[in-house]
Amino acid sequence: MDWENFFDTIGFWYNVFVEWYLVQPIYGQVLTIIGLITVLVLAITLVYYTIKGIAYLVYYVLKGIYYLLKGVGFGFYKLFEGFYFLVSGKKKPSKQKVEDVDIQNNMTNDNIYILEYCSECGRKISEKMKIHFEKNGMAFCENCGKLLTLSNALRALSVSP
């Protein structure tokens, strides 16, 4: 492309526009300037939001690919972990807290008589309450009316010195 010819063409059309502009009455000139500014602002806004939209599109596509690859990698990790425990014969370590395991291990009929006193009022539990507790796994204190369960009693024992 011939740059000299290109600039001559632009100069020609600029001169045509200036001649047309100067022939217009004053309100036509003002409205022309307002129109040109409006078109310029709209063009800049369009370019801005187009670039912003493309940037968001690229960002979320890359984020989706990341999460997809992360999920596939985690799936392979779990697969190989399960295969390892299957082949080695080892048991998978439990994520359960030690306190929960202790409470579950203590919930046998031998330990029903761990309740001697009410954790609310401090009075001794009667034999009738112990028998009811042994059958149902819970009882109400005859003195204060508090619901007594084995897990509450074990928590009270683990908290007290």
Side-chain angles (χ1 to χ4, degrees):
M1 176 176 211
D2 184 19
W3 286 105
E4 187 175 318
N5 190 16
F6 177 74
F7 288 121
D8 286 339
T9 306
I10 288 179
F12 171 75
W13 285 108
Y14 175 74
N15 289 333
V16 169
F17 174 75
V18 169
E19 287 175 12
W20 172 83
Y21 179 75
L22 293 175
V23 173
Q24 299 299 320
I26 191 72
Y27 64 87
Q29 291 176 358
V30 171
L31 290 177
T32 303
I33 295 295
I34 292 173
L36 288 175
I37 291 172
T38 305
V39 168
L40 183 64
V41 168
L42 288 175
I44 291 171
T45 305
L46 179 69
V47 168
Y48 169 76
Y49 281 110
T50 302
I51 291 172
K52 184 178 177 181
I54 291 170
Y56 272 120
L57 178 68
V58 169
Y59 170 74
Y60 283 113
V61 165
L62 292 177
K63 186 176 179 182
I65 291 171
Y66 166 74
Y67 282 127
L68 179 68
L69 293 176
K70 182 180 173 184
V72 169
F74 186 70
F76 278 123
Y77 169 76
K78 285 297 192 181
L79 179 71
F80 289 132
E81 181 185 38
F83 185 68
Y84 166 75
F85 285 116
L86 181 68
V87 171
S88 68
K90 295 180 182 178
K91 289 196 174 196
K92 195 171 184 179
S94 176
K95 294 181 182 178
Q96 198 174 31
K97 293 181 181 178
V98 176
E99 296 172 12
D100 294 340
V101 174
D102 290 340
I103 290 174
Q104 289 177 356
N105 290 340
N106 289 332
M107 291 185 71
T108 61
N109 286 336
D110 298 336
N111 293 328
I112 292 294
Y113 292 103
I114 204 165
L115 292 173
E116 290 293 326
Y117 297 95
C118 175
S119 61
E120 185 70 24
C121 64
R123 294 192 180 175
K124 191 167 176 88
I125 293 175
S126 67
E127 285 297 318
K128 182 179 174 186
M129 282 176 58
K130 286 182 183 179
I131 292 170
H132 189 273
F133 192 82
E134 190 175 322
K135 288 180 183 175
N136 299 331
M138 62 134 201
F140 289 95
C141 178
E142 294 173 340
N143 300 307
C144 67
K146 182 178 188 250
L147 175 66
L148 303 172
T149 61
L150 184 60
S151 60
N152 289 344
L154 290 174
R155 267 191 236 117
L157 284 176
S158 66
V159 171
S160 64

